[in-house]
């Protein structure tokens, strides 16, 4: 059997910017660097894909009767998953003229590309694992160069980019405050402590920093040792079977 060998060179995908809005025109360049001439087996395509996906495992407890009629508890694991593909398309970025051999010369070849993002896309959410659940909203582009000769390994480059949904409405500060009674031995009051904060905005997109100003007032006889703020996000996962 013949040995497998690689194409002498590299391929790279670069976007004009890293973050886009739904419906925006995406532009970039595929750069191919070769140390010798090659004959391309087919046209060079850029594959573009966007999807949201999730998967997890549920443990279901059931009661069954055995051969003697006794009730026994059993458990079984059910794999849940779902995937919604927003778009999956190939953009032709290089093709030999009809009737000619598809040859690329040694050196660097820059192939510009552009494509229109669909409207109504969800914001990017990097692949995340929580317990045995995994989910994400990802967008990426893959460029591949395959030359003639079945035993040659093609050159491949894959790059992720972000999509962010525009704000649903005008942004405005979000205020909150809370006061609690400090007790000892579950019954005796030792005064109160209050906390108030202002969140700079009530609208955020992926990757933004949530800035907050917090003021604490201790009107108790106890020393305040620590003040922490937790930002909580809720994600609902739904499998194909609901």
């Amino acid at each position: 059997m013949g040995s497998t060998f690689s194409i002498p060179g590299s391929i790279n995908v670069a976007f004009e910017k890293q973050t886009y809005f739904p419906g925006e025109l995406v532009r970039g360049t595929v750069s191919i660097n070769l140390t010798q001439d090659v004959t391309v087996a087919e046209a060079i395509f850029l594959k573009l894909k966007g999807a949201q996906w999730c998967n997890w495992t549920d443990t279901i407890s059931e009661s069954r009767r055995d051969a003697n009629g006794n009730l026994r508890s059993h458990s079984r694991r059910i794999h849940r998953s779902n995937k919604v593909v927003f778009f999956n398309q190939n953009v032709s970025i290089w093709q030999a003229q009809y009737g000619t051999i598809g040859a690329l010369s040694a050196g660097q070849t820059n192939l510009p590309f552009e494509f229109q993002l669909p409207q109504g896309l969800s914001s990017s959410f990097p692949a995340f694992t929580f317990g045995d659940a995994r989910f994400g909203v990802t967008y990426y582009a893959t460029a591949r160069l395959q030359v003639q000769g079945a035993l040659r390994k093609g050159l491949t480059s894959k790059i992720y980019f972000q999509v962010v949904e525009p704000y649903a409405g005008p942004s405005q500060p979000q205020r909150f405050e809370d006061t609690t009674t400090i007790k000892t031995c579950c019954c005796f009051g030792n005064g109160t402590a209050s906390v108030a904060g202002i969140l700079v905005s009530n609208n955020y997109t992926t990757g933004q920093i949530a800035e907050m100003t917090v003021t604490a007032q201790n009107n108790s006889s106890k020393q305040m040792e620590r003040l922490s703020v937790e930002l909580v996000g809720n994600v609902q996962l739904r499998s194909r079977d609901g």
Side-chain angles (χ1 to χ4, degrees):
M1 297 178 63
S3 60
T4 301
F5 55 99
S6 301
I7 299 173
S10 62
I11 188 171
N12 182 65
V13 181
F15 292 99
E16 285 187 348
K17 58 181 183 176
Q18 188 60 31
T19 303
Y20 297 89
F21 291 110
E24 193 172 356
L25 184 64
V26 178
R27 292 189 176 95
T29 303
V30 174
S31 299
I32 301 172
N33 288 280
L34 300 172
T35 57
Q36 67 182 54
D37 297 349
V38 298
T39 301
V40 181
E42 57 187 19
I44 302 174
F45 288 94
L46 185 70
K47 181 179 181 179
L48 305 158
K49 189 172 184 178
Q52 63 182 16
W53 51 270
C54 63
N55 57 75
W56 72 95
T57 302
D58 284 335
T59 301
I60 307 298
S61 297
E62 299 175 326
S63 296
R64 300 176 183 174
R65 295 191 180 277
D66 59 19
N68 297 320
N70 298 318
L71 199 61
R72 303 290 185 181
S73 295
H74 299 271
S75 62
R76 59 189 178 96
R77 294 170 64 84
I78 301 177
H79 181 71
R80 312 280 192 186
S81 65
N82 200 358
K83 186 174 185 178
V84 177
V85 178
F86 302 132
F87 59 87
N88 186 9
Q89 64 186 88
N90 289 322
V91 177
S92 176
I93 57 176
W94 186 91
Q95 193 167 10
Q97 296 182 358
Y98 180 76
T100 63
I101 297 176
L104 282 179
S105 302
Q108 179 167 315
T109 301
N110 294 320
L111 305 173
F113 65 85
E114 65 177 34
F115 66 96
Q116 192 86 36
L117 286 175
Q119 295 284 356
L121 296 176
S122 299
S123 291
S124 297
F125 196 106
F128 186 78
T129 300
F130 182 78
D132 64 353
R134 296 187 71 251
F135 51 92
V137 182
T138 53
Y139 300 90
Y140 63 87
T142 305
R144 179 176 174 82
L145 169 64
Q146 182 65 54
V147 303
Q148 288 185 344
L151 297 181
R152 281 183 179 267
K153 287 184 178 180
L155 295 177
T156 302
S157 176
K158 182 178 182 180
I159 184 172
Y160 287 86
F161 61 96
Q162 282 193 332
V163 173
V164 295
E165 296 179 87
Y167 295 132
S171 177
Q172 58 186 8
Q174 187 76 28
R175 295 177 173 82
F176 65 90
E177 59 180 304
D178 188 33
T179 300
T180 186
T181 300
I182 307 300
K183 295 182 179 181
T184 56
C185 300
C186 303
C187 301
F188 302 101
N190 284 273
T192 62
S194 61
V195 61
I198 299 178
L199 199 60
V200 174
S201 173
N202 62 343
N203 282 318
Y204 290 95
T205 58
T206 303
Q208 274 193 293
I209 297 175
E211 298 182 1
M212 178 185 298
T213 301
V214 179
T215 303
Q217 183 71 39
N218 185 9
N219 296 316
S220 73
S221 59
K222 297 296 181 179
Q223 182 178 353
M224 185 179 292
E225 297 181 350
R226 186 179 72 252
L227 177 64
S228 61
V229 177
E230 184 178 7
L231 185 64
V232 178
N234 294 317
V235 177
Q236 183 179 33
L237 306 183
R238 185 182 298 274
S239 65
R240 293 190 190 96
D241 54 10

